[in-house]
Amino acid sequence: EAQVTQNPRYLITVTGKKLTVTCSQNMNHEYMSWYRQDPGLGLRQIYYSMNVEVTDKGDVPEGYKVSRKEKRNFPLILESPSPNQTSLYFCASSPFAGVDQETQYFGPGTRLLVL
Amino acid sequence: AQSVTQPDIHITVSEGASLELRCNYSYGATPYLFWYVQSPGQGLQLLLKYFSGDTLVQGIKGFEAEFKRSQSSFNLRKPSVHWSDAAEYFCAVGSGGYQKVTFGIGTKLQVIP
């Protein structure tokens, strides 16, 4: 089944404890992106990647890191989480060509609580 | 800078009634426009998209949207709403070429019997 998977789905952590949220897609998509969703603010893009080893900042990159060493994986790293990073996080992927061009496929989300 | 406005945060309609969700965008050139739906506890799913051509776009689940350049709008419509349409709907605008995509804050749709 074509899908975007995220792990973990739920995470409670404490301020300053480094964490990684994994994202993997099995559709051979070139483009991948991370968003956070907060009430009243909609989805805001954190980082995106056009291909392996190519990443760029979105609207709210502060406090986050990403890497794209393999085409299928795009982990989100919070090196020193803070309570204002408590949010619902979505990973998405999209192909560069074909009928699904520009269509983003979203993962199920990761709900993060930073205490 | 591109932006999206969804003026209705919450809408309630009766099952079987028609629906229109409003979306206004700000973008300097021809925009790439999208509507996504998020069911409770789920990720987002694309309903439809507009890049060029016919300004009336058909999507999945019986939804359609019309691009009106003069009004900078891309409103989503459905002639008859079903209870399963209760969800949150997001309008988004992009520049194409996989540059930044900006989402609106969403409209939550409640469907009453």
Side-chain angles (χ1 to χ4, degrees):
Chain A
E1 180 190 355
Q3 60 183 346
V4 178
T5 57
Q6 296 179 227
N7 283 292
R9 294 288 311 279
Y10 304 91
L11 179 60
I12 301 175
T13 190
V14 296
T15 298
K17 185 176 181 182
K18 180 179 179 179
L19 67 91
T20 298
V21 184
T22 65
C23 172
S24 183
Q25 50 95 3
N26 62 2
M27 297 169 279
N28 201 37
H29 288 170
E30 292 83 4
Y31 178 89
M32 297 186 75
S33 183
W34 275 103
Y35 296 88
R36 60 178 289 174
Q37 183 178 19
D38 302 289
L41 296 176
L43 273 79
R44 293 178 292 167
Q45 191 175 46
I46 303 171
Y47 271 95
Y48 64 95
S49 170
M50 302 283 273
N51 217 322
V52 175
E53 303 292 359
V54 181
T55 63
D56 207 348
K57 297 177 181 178
D59 290 319
V60 289
E62 294 77 20
Y64 304 94
K65 284 179 57 177
V66 294
S67 68
R68 188 94 181 271
K69 293 183 170 57
E70 303 168 282
K71 195 173 186 179
R72 64 184 292 127
N73 296 324
F74 191 45
L76 180 70
I77 303 157
L78 285 71
E79 297 216 321
S80 184
S82 63
N84 64 12
Q85 294 179 296
T86 291
S87 188
L88 178 58
Y89 291 87
F90 287 101
C91 180
S93 72
S94 182
F96 275 173
V99 65
D100 284 339
Q101 183 183 6
E102 304 278 353
T103 299
Q104 294 193 62
Y105 288 83
F106 283 81
T110 295
R111 190 167 291 279
L112 172 65
L113 173 61
V114 183
L115 300 174
Chain B
Q2 63 199 44
S3 65
V4 175
T5 301
Q6 292 182 249
D8 304 305
I9 294 173
H10 192 270
I11 282 184
T12 301
V13 300
S14 298
E15 191 168 16
S18 64
L19 172 70
E20 182 169 31
L21 302 182
R22 297 183 291 163
C23 173
N24 292 97
Y25 68 89
S26 174
Y27 186 72
T30 300
Y32 284 55
L33 294 162
F34 310 84
W35 275 100
Y36 284 86
V37 61
Q38 183 181 29
S39 298
Q42 304 293 317
L44 281 73
Q45 179 186 23
L46 182 74
L47 283 175
L48 46 80
K49 60 188 178 185
Y50 171 79
F51 297 165
S52 63
D54 191 346
T55 56
L56 185 62
V57 181
Q58 302 297 319
I60 63 171
K61 305 186 182 191
F63 285 91
E64 67 177 27
E66 186 171 12
F67 171 59
K68 292 186 177 180
R69 183 187 299 276
S70 61
Q71 298 176 21
S72 298
S73 69
F74 189 57
N75 294 349
L76 182 71
R77 301 194 294 249
K78 186 169 185 177
S80 178
V81 170
H82 188 262
W83 64 265
S84 60
D85 293 323
E88 192 158 16
Y89 293 79
F90 292 90
C91 182
V93 63
S95 55
Y98 291 92
Q99 301 305 308
K100 187 171 62 175
V101 175
T102 301
F103 284 78
I105 65 172
T107 297
K108 190 163 288 188
L109 174 65
Q110 180 181 10
V111 180
I112 57 176

